[in-house]
Amino acid sequence: LLPPRMICTAWQQTRSVGGGLYNLGNTCFLNSVLQCLTYTPPLANYLLSRQHSQSCAEEGFCMMCTMEVHTEEVLSCSGSAIAPTAVVSELQRIGEQFQLGAQEDAHEFFGCAVDAMQRACLSRRSDRDTSSQSSTVIDQVFGGLLRSRVTCLSCKAVSDTYEAFVDIPLDIKAASSVTGALEDFVRPEHLDGENSYKCSKCEQLVSASKRLTIHQSSNVLTVCLKRFDPFSGRKIGKVVQYPEYLDLGAYTSQAPRGPLLYSLYAVLVHEGYSCQAGHYYCFVKASDGRWYKMNDDSV
């Protein structure tokens, strides 16, 4: 649907930082995610080109068309703010679990928003096969592939499975940095006892080693720090350090020929002591190269 050469990871035009977003009633989770998406250069370049809407035949709600209008409006109102009504009014079309006025999870909304954009890109396709899904602008911006390799410790047979991702959730209970959490993410896991592996070659339960690696890296890497404990409901409030530049090479299936370097451009923050309440805001790097704090209508 979109040739890879059309993805440009650098800003194609420099503008002043855009406007803020009014909070329409506990919509800080939505505002923060929208701002991060607006300042994602390859996505913004495509949205500002209006390529999708020029050929879109969707009669009802289309997330891509909505994001095109939203991005242009935000980046054109520097020094002021807009109400993200077009997105808020269609909240349940983006994710049916969201309730207007309720405090929601930003990471969950991010996943639903990306999925809604992917569905919009595929709306004209009758056969939504794997090749179509991996050639949309959304998959080319956010999509990557994880490899899970299980090695039988008896016969050394190897079994690989692959899973697509748009973000990588990182456990931070034992890590104090993003790089440390990534090291834990790819650290081999020993399978034995109740977790023994059924080897297809040995044809029995055996001890095995399982390792998860990034097999195909994404143009835009999104990591989510798992701050909310699903059992206690408590928030893990520890400080987690992250670099401005991240070399992903050490966490991939095969070592790249050179550095696989990523440059930080957005950080979404949850402020509060509980996963049930709090406030979201974000920091973004605009096309002028400067960092801005986006806190609802305040820039």
Side-chain angles (χ1 to χ4, degrees), residues 18-29:
L21 300 176
Y22 290 114
N23 192 316
L24 303 181
N26 286 329
T27 57
C28 59
F29 74 96

Side-chain angles (χ1 to χ4, degrees), residues 76-154:
S76 299
C77 71
S78 183
S80 58
I82 67 163
T85 311
V87 179
V88 174
S89 62
E90 302 288 355
L91 188 58
Q92 289 194 315
R93 287 180 179 268
I94 299 170
E96 59 183 15
Q97 70 272 35
F98 297 120
Q99 297 293 325
L100 194 59
Q103 296 202 43
E104 303 284 4
D105 182 77
H107 177 235
E108 189 175 5
F109 178 73
F110 168 79
C112 290
V114 170
D115 186 58
M117 287 189 286
Q118 173 78 332
R119 292 198 307 270
C121 290
L122 293 168
S123 63
R124 290 164 290 172
R125 302 285 295 188
S126 57
D127 57 332
R128 301 187 180 189
D129 55 21
T130 305
S131 60
S132 295
Q133 292 178 32
S134 62
S135 61
T136 68
V137 64
I138 299 305
D139 188 81
Q140 289 188 38
V141 171
F142 297 105
L145 208 60
L146 294 176
R147 185 188 76 184
S148 176
R149 168 165 288 185
V150 180
T151 305
C152 174
L153 297 182
S154 295

Side-chain angles (χ1 to χ4, degrees), residues 42-215:
L43 178 63
N45 290 334
Y46 183 78
L47 293 172
L48 292 171
S49 73
R50 296 294 182 99
Q51 288 185 55
H52 180 86
S53 60
Q54 287 170 10
S55 59
C56 182
E58 190 68 42
E59 295 181 1
F61 170 70
C62 172
M63 187 62 173
M64 285 298 287
C65 290
T66 300
M67 286 300 297
E68 277 189 5
V69 174
H70 175 84
T71 302
E72 179 62 50
E73 193 174 358
V74 168
L75 295 179
S76 299
C77 71
S78 183
S80 58
I82 67 163
T85 311
V87 179
V88 174
S89 62
E90 302 288 355
L91 188 58
Q92 289 194 315
R93 287 180 179 268
I94 299 170
E96 59 183 15
Q97 70 272 35
F98 297 120
Q99 297 293 325
L100 194 59
Q103 296 202 43
E104 303 284 4
D105 182 77
H107 177 235
E108 189 175 5
F109 178 73
F110 168 79
C112 290
V114 170
D115 186 58
M117 287 189 286
Q118 173 78 332
R119 292 198 307 270
C121 290
L122 293 168
S123 63
R124 290 164 290 172
R125 302 285 295 188
S126 57
D127 57 332
R128 301 187 180 189
D129 55 21
T130 305
S131 60
S132 295
Q133 292 178 32
S134 62
S135 61
T136 68
V137 64
I138 299 305
D139 188 81
Q140 289 188 38
V141 171
F142 297 105
L145 208 60
L146 294 176
R147 185 188 76 184
S148 176
R149 168 165 288 185
V150 180
T151 305
C152 174
L153 297 182
S154 295
C155 70
K156 307 303 178 185
V158 171
S159 174
D160 289 339
T161 55
Y162 301 90
E163 181 183 356
F165 73 87
V166 294
D167 63 75
I168 297 178
L170 295 179
D171 197 327
I172 59 170
K173 287 182 179 178
S176 57
S177 66
V178 165
T179 50
L182 280 167
E183 288 167 10
D184 291 341
F185 183 77
V186 300
R187 183 172 285 116
E189 176 188 357
H190 190 68
L191 305 177
D192 60 4
E194 292 183 356
N195 292 324
S196 292
Y197 170 65
K198 180 65 179 292
C199 178
S200 57
K201 192 172 182 180
C202 295
E203 296 186 343
Q204 61 182 344
L205 292 172
V206 296
S207 294
S209 174
K210 178 181 178 181
R211 187 176 187 229
L212 206 60
T213 51
I214 298 170
H215 191 69

